[in-house]
Amino acid sequence: MKLEDIRREYTQGGLQREMLAVDPIVQFEAWLKQAVEAKFSNDPTAMVVATVDETGQPSQRIVLLKHLDENGFVFFTNTGSRKAQELKTNNKISLHFPWHAIERQVIVYGEAKPLPTSAVAKYFLSRPKESQLAAWASQQSRPVSSRQALMQTFNSMKSKFTKGDIPLPDFWGGYCVEPTKIEFWQGGEHRLHDRFMYVKQADGNWTVDRLNP
């Protein structure tokens, strides 16, 4: 297999400045809606979350976007996880939405701010019961001896919380990523892609520049 021979053209359309909203959150919502409506686009809310540890080593993982408003992009996680521990020492973060099926990408740069317990609890109680139990069962990012051991812990939690609501674990939290820059990428023919970068200014307004592909 020759990796250098794997290629395709991007032909689904260009992106011009006049097509962009003034507010990048509004622009993102429009693109997300189109990604959701594109039935061939799997997991449109999936985003690659990149953090950096105390040595400068980046790490990435895929997480689902769970809320979006004028404040930023929200996701939830175990606070003992690698990403949560890295955010304790460096809250700078990047999110990447790879919408390959519609030849688009969005990259968000910003800072992750912990959510209040009330917001975390509201989301946790909205999850399916099995997902709530999985949160209790998993010591996220830590070694586990086997799949069987993980399932034993899951079944133990299932037996423990047979009645009533499953309580919020004290090791479960969430973050709002407050953006400072957002890039919108539209695939173009001959690798002449359209890229626009929004940058937040001190007064809260956004500037936007076209970038070379």
Side-chain angles (χ1 to χ4, degrees):
M1 181 173 60
K2 293 185 177 180
L3 298 181
E4 63 269 24
D5 291 339
I6 300 175
R7 64 180 67 247
R8 68 183 177 92
E9 281 293 340
Y10 298 95
T11 60
Q12 293 192 28
L15 182 63
Q16 301 299 324
R17 185 185 297 267
E18 57 268 22
M19 300 166 64
L20 297 170
V22 173
D23 187 330
I25 299 297
V26 173
Q27 183 64 41
F28 180 88
E29 288 176 327
W31 272 25
L32 177 59
K33 183 175 185 291
Q34 292 171 13
V36 170
E37 291 172 347
K39 302 302 182 184
F40 49 84
S41 180
N42 294 326
D43 297 322
T45 62
M47 57 187 183
V48 179
V49 175
T51 54
V52 179
D53 69 13
E54 68 277 3
T55 71
Q57 173 62 55
S59 62
Q60 302 176 53
R61 73 289 292 161
I62 293 177
V63 177
L64 298 181
L65 177 69
K66 287 301 178 183
H67 182 71
L68 173 69
D69 59 27
E70 67 277 4
N71 296 313
F73 301 75
V74 171
F75 69 92
F76 298 88
T77 186
N78 185 310
T79 56
S81 66
R82 182 174 60 196
K83 56 185 169 297
Q85 292 303 304
E86 291 176 353
L87 288 171
K88 278 186 178 180
T89 57
N90 182 355
N91 74 338
K92 295 289 189 357
I93 193 170
S94 178
L95 312 176
H96 176 226
F97 294 85
W99 294 323
H100 302 301
I102 56 176
E103 300 178 356
R104 288 175 174 173
Q105 304 178 63
V106 178
I107 305 173
V108 178
Y109 304 88
E111 296 184 352
K113 304 294 180 64
L115 292 173
T117 302
S118 57
V120 176
K122 181 179 179 180
Y123 166 71
F124 185 81
L125 292 174
S126 75
R127 301 180 87 196
K129 185 174 182 179
E130 289 74 15
S131 295
Q132 294 178 2
L133 292 169
W136 274 99
S138 173
Q139 297 184 45
Q140 197 174 104
S141 301
R142 299 177 189 177
V144 61
S145 60
S146 65
R147 175 78 182 185
Q148 182 181 9
L150 177 62
M151 293 309 298
Q152 286 176 346
T153 305
F154 177 83
N155 289 328
S156 175
M157 293 298 105
K158 193 172 184 178
S159 297
K160 180 178 180 179
F161 300 119
T162 54
K163 297 180 181 179
D165 291 335
I166 298 173
L168 174 70
D170 59 5
F171 51 82
W172 189 257
Y175 296 90
C176 178
V177 177
E178 299 178 359
T180 55
K181 297 191 296 183
I182 304 179
E183 178 183 338
F184 292 85
W185 183 102
Q186 175 74 61
E189 291 184 304
H190 317 305
R191 298 298 185 267
L192 297 175
H193 312 302
D194 292 306
R195 299 173 58 191
F196 287 92
M197 179 72 83
Y198 288 80
V199 179
K200 194 168 191 177
Q201 304 302 302
D203 61 3
N205 291 318
W206 295 85
T207 60
V208 58
D209 287 306
R210 176 183 278 273
L211 304 180
N212 274 288

